Amino acid sequence: MTDAQVHLQLYIDDVIRAGRERGVQVVVYHNGKLVIDIAAGITDVATGRPVAHDTLFPVFSCGKGLQATLMHMLVHRGLIEYDTPIAAVWPEFGRNGKDKVTLRHALSHTAGMPSMPVGVAQHEVCDWAAMVNRIAAMPLEWQPGTRQVYHAIIQGWLLGEVARRVDGRLFPQMLREEICEPLGTPDLYVGIPDSAQPRVAILDEIFEEGKRPTGIDDGVPRAIPSWIQPLH
């Protein structure tokens, strides 16, 4: 065990005891050599299950880089071009003024539609067909290419459906076959299989009294739905 591992372990243990973190994994490689490998705390307040070295933690927005990589691969293979209108491969998407939105707009977060579909319920986000139908029916918030606003959550379905239309595979399958298997990273998922569920750390936000989300969409266009934001 290296000195760095010992010192960082002591620090993380103090952080967890103080309640500033609940569960932590830290892995560091230097020149290809594993020098720090720490798992501490718990994954779930309900069960007290400890964090292990193979615990799966949710991560946010890292998927956008993976998704962009897959889109670049599809462009490289000649299946689509950056300036191809999305409606050319996904005709239903061209409604309500979206016929000029290109793959380049989507990749650069300038498509003019950063918000989630208004009124979408929490349970619907796991229904791919329902979500892409809602997105296809959405209007633009401004003309594509005129403003850049981060596609916080909608990006997954927006680019994922483009990929499905030109390649035929859903994004999780493409991720596994094109990135995870070649790189030897089997525990990277977008949509976990049932077999991995017991290893997942439970994300449990702490809200002030009276500010816990209701789980109901408030009807206001937002990049992040109201049902995963604290009320104000």
Side-chain angles (χ1 to χ4, degrees):
M1 184 178 294
T2 65
D3 289 343
Q5 168 101 7
V6 172
H7 290 307
L8 189 56
Q9 181 76 64
L10 291 172
Y11 172 75
I12 289 174
D13 290 343
D14 286 342
V15 167
I16 290 173
R17 276 193 296 269
R20 298 199 301 274
E21 293 291 347
R22 187 168 291 150
V24 175
Q25 283 176 334
V26 180
V27 174
V28 177
Y29 283 85
H30 180 65
N31 292 331
K33 180 181 178 181
L34 179 65
V35 294
I36 292 176
D37 187 3
I38 292 172
I42 62 172
T43 64
D44 182 1
V45 293
T47 65
R49 177 166 48 96
V51 174
H53 294 279
D54 66 346
T55 295
L56 299 174
F57 277 81
V59 293
F60 296 89
S61 290
C62 298
K64 292 184 177 68
L66 297 167
Q67 193 173 44
T69 298
L70 290 173
M71 299 309 301
H72 295 319
M73 292 171 71
L74 295 178
V75 171
H76 180 72
R77 292 169 184 172
L79 296 177
I80 191 171
E81 297 180 358
Y82 292 117
D83 291 315
T84 299
I86 289 176
V89 299
W90 178 5
E92 302 91 332
F93 180 84
R95 290 177 283 170
N96 293 324
K98 301 195 301 300
D99 55 303
K100 299 294 193 298
V101 178
T102 66
L103 174 60
R104 187 183 302 274
H105 290 138
L107 282 168
S108 61
H109 300 256
T110 61
M113 46 184 305
S115 300
M116 286 280 282
V118 172
V120 67
Q122 192 169 1
H123 68 272
E124 288 183 88
V125 298
C126 293
D127 185 332
W128 186 269
M131 287 300 300
V132 298
N133 287 339
R134 279 182 170 271
I135 290 168
M138 289 173 62
L140 288 173
E141 296 182 48
W142 48 80
Q143 288 303 303
T146 60
R147 291 177 63 185
Q148 184 179 53
V149 177
Y150 186 54
H151 298 174
I153 298 181
I154 197 174
Q155 190 83 333
W157 297 281
L158 181 58
L159 289 179
E161 183 64 8
V162 173
R164 188 185 74 84
R165 296 282 177 138
V166 301
D167 179 89
R169 292 173 291 176
L170 286 172
F171 178 71
Q173 182 183 358
M174 292 183 66
L175 175 66
R176 184 178 69 252
E177 295 175 355
E178 301 285 356
I179 294 179
C180 296
E181 291 178 356
L183 295 180
T185 55
D187 279 343
L188 177 62
Y189 301 102
V190 173
I192 60 170
D194 290 343
S195 59
Q197 179 66 49
R199 295 163 51 204
V200 175
I202 305 301
L203 182 64
D204 184 33
E205 288 284 356
I206 300 174
F207 299 101
E208 296 177 26
E209 186 65 28
K211 292 187 177 181
R212 181 170 292 278
T214 63
I216 301 172
D217 182 73
D218 62 4
V220 177
R222 300 174 185 272
I224 300 177
S226 59
W227 40 259
I228 55 175
Q229 300 186 57
L231 303 176
H232 298 291

